[in-house]
Amino acid sequence: MRIGIIGTGHMADALGGQWAAAGHDVLVGGRDRGRADALARRIGHGARAGGVGDAARHGEVVLLAVPYAGVGDALRRAGAASGALAGRVLVDCVNPIGPGFTVAGGARSAAEEAAQAAPGAHVVKAFNLCPDGVWRMRPPVGGDRPLGVPLCGDDAGALAAVRRLVTDIGCVPMDAGPLARAGVLEATAAFVIGMVATGMDPTAALPPLALAGTPVPQGE
Ligand SMILES: NC(=O)c1ccc[n+]([C@@H]2O[C@H](COP(=O)([O-])OP(=O)(O)OC[C@H]3O[C@@H](n4cnc5c(N)ncnc54)[C@H](OP(=O)(O)O)[C@@H]3O)[C@@H](O)[C@H]2O)c1
């Protein structure tokens, strides 16, 4: 698959490295060409470097890996407003974490904001729940079992592409509903990061499936 990555930081490094090693055609695009060049060299496996617009043009799938505060500007640099990402899969791993581990932003999730800023793109929220150190593991694991990766999106083809990118790195895709539920994943990240920051294990708050009870039907 042709994968463009917007951003040259930790998540670009971790996921770009995984996907390039799995045989995908990766182009990392940054606003600082020197950093993009250095990252492409570190990733290896034929990875190339370019600008933000190059990443958008290159990717059938484009990973958005910039801080929440930079999303609007990064998408502008990508030419998203004029349709540069239309028809492409935009994977959003952004966590809008505010002061005190709250969820930053307005009424909509960061993923829905990205979708509005990138008309025609098929946005899928994914890869936001674990730190980059986990995404660098080969394969990433969650304790003694394969790592699940929840996905929220509306387009069946885009979800299928991202499921493949999840399984290609040895993880298990978990369908978590439409893009309208992406805010749930973003709030979960705020919970997880807040717990970890205060030395607590967030998974200790969650029951195993056998004890999780019977789900209440939607709307009740
Ligand atoms: N790190 C994690 O463990 C982790 C885990 C899950 C999700 N996330 C989310 O993933 C996203 C990226 O995190 P990260 O840790 O990779 O961040 P990072 O290491 O700080 O890297 C951020 C990258 O975004 C670029 N950037 C910032 N503003 C930009 C703009 N306006 N236009 C273009 N590029 C811009 C930076 O470019 P410059 O080098 O030019 O500044 C840098 O390459 C964040 O939203 C974060 O919440 C992170």
Side-chain angles (χ1 to χ4, degrees):
M1 222 180 280
R2 288 194 317 279
I3 301 174
I5 299 183
I6 298 177
T8 56
H10 294 94
M11 289 297 278
D13 192 358
L15 290 171
Q18 292 276 10
W19 291 327
H24 294 291
D25 176 3
V26 170
L27 189 151
V28 287
R31 58 185 175 176
D32 181 319
R33 183 57 195 261
R35 281 186 203 138
D37 284 337
L39 178 56
R41 275 197 299 277
R42 192 161 58 246
I43 287 175
H45 301 282
R48 284 170 287 149
V52 172
D54 296 320
R57 278 186 290 278
H58 176 76
E60 303 158 72
V61 172
V62 177
L63 173 69
L64 182 60
V66 304
Y68 175 59
V71 166
D73 181 54
L75 289 175
R76 261 191 304 282
R77 290 169 188 264
S82 40
L85 291 166
R88 293 162 201 260
V89 181
L90 183 62
V91 179
D92 167 31
C93 70
V94 171
N95 280 323
I97 309 295
F101 306 106
T102 54
V103 181
R108 286 175 311 165
S109 65
E112 291 170 300
E113 289 175 0
Q116 191 176 38
H122 304 305
V123 177
V124 176
K125 188 90 201 179
F127 302 107
N128 72 314
L129 291 187
C130 289
D132 63 286
V134 169
W135 298 123
R136 290 173 202 273
M137 297 166 78
R138 305 220 171 147
V141 286
D144 56 358
R145 57 182 177 175
L147 185 67
V149 182
L151 313 177
C152 287
D154 294 334
D155 182 82
L159 286 165
V162 182
R163 274 188 216 109
R164 181 178 156 202
L165 294 179
V166 169
T167 54
D168 279 355
I169 67 170
C171 296
V172 179
M174 301 171 77
D175 289 337
L179 200 67
R181 289 195 77 222
V184 174
L185 295 187
E186 293 170 5
T188 303
F191 167 71
V192 168
I193 294 166
M195 288 287 118
V196 171
T198 49
M200 286 183 273
D201 175 3
T203 65
L206 304 173
L209 182 59
L211 298 178
T214 308
V216 177
Q218 280 190 352
E220 293 185 17

